[in-house]
Amino acid sequence: LIQRTFESLKGAKRAILHYYNATAPSFRRVVFRQDQPATIKLAVDAARLIRQLAEAQPETDWTFEYSPETFSFTEQEFALEICEAVMDALGPTPARPVILNLPATVEVAMPNVYADQIEWFCRHLKRRDCAVISLHPHNDRGTGVAAAELGLRAGADRVEGTLFGNGERTGNVDIVTLA
């Protein structure tokens, strides 16, 4: 899929290449049957391939984005560890930061808990100057706007969402309402 994505972007002037893998214990154990090191290896191997393929298409101005999908119910220390490993593989700089997209997947946490997770992550990320922290609040319990507002106050830099809740399988935060 990664190679096909690069093929489809051939000739693009600029592109954000976003990839993710589920990181929560239930996904690691039940869906992927992987432990933490294997989950990190999956993410890092993909990052290395992405970097290699991007270098082979220098005519495109690449931005890389990684999501520890299921961030809101992944152990905080592990979410940080996998994101830092991905950053090491992608090689971001302050001038060319990576986007770390932190999903509030299916709103398993109240907005204040999600904001606490964002604040903790931002405070502990070693190379914070090399990352744009992006929020991806879902709206399953109707608190996506609150999660986005609190997450921004907690240190995030941007929000990803939809227009009027359309475009995501569970209905992300509505950017119109948020604005």
Side-chain angles (χ1 to χ4, degrees):
L1 291 175
I2 292 171
Q3 290 175 332
R4 300 253 345 232
T5 299
F6 273 89
E7 289 169 15
S8 73
L9 291 168
K10 192 88 169 154
K13 288 185 179 195
R14 291 188 315 175
I16 297 175
L17 193 123
H18 181 189
Y19 82 105
Y20 59 91
N21 61 306
T23 55
S26 57
F27 280 85
R28 292 191 319 255
R29 185 181 65 253
V30 176
V31 177
F32 299 109
R33 297 190 175 151
Q34 292 181 329
D35 57 10
Q36 288 183 352
T39 304
I40 291 172
K41 182 179 182 328
L42 177 68
V44 168
D45 287 350
R48 289 182 180 139
L49 176 60
I50 287 166
R51 189 171 180 182
Q52 174 189 357
L53 293 170
E55 288 170 357
Q57 286 182 229
E59 67 279 2
T60 301
D61 180 16
W62 296 102
T63 299
F64 303 128
E65 180 171 358
Y66 173 71
S67 294
E69 188 186 26
T70 65
F71 168 80
S72 57
F73 56 107
T74 296
E75 308 92 322
Q76 287 284 264
E77 295 82 5
F78 182 61
L80 181 68
E81 181 181 359
I82 197 166
C83 286
E84 288 182 337
V86 165
M87 286 178 70
D88 289 343
L90 291 174
T93 65
R96 295 191 61 79
V98 66
I99 299 168
L100 296 176
N101 181 45
L102 307 178
T105 309
V106 296
E107 281 196 303
V108 298
M110 297 291 291
N112 62 304
V113 173
Y114 179 58
D116 288 346
Q117 292 172 321
I118 299 301
E119 182 178 19
W120 185 93
F121 186 90
C122 289
R123 286 187 180 191
H124 290 86
L125 185 64
K126 289 179 188 159
R127 295 185 302 150
R128 177 65 176 91
D129 63 330
C130 296
V132 172
I133 304 302
S134 183
L135 303 177
H136 184 99
H138 284 237
N139 199 41
D140 302 76
R141 298 192 308 182
T143 60
V145 169
E149 290 174 335
L150 290 172
L152 287 168
R153 291 185 60 117
D157 303 303
R158 65 178 241 175
V159 177
E160 295 183 13
T162 64
L163 298 177
F164 307 113
N166 296 311
E168 174 78 10
R169 67 195 178 282
T170 56
N172 284 0
V173 65
D174 175 14
I175 296 294
V176 175
T177 302
L178 181 61

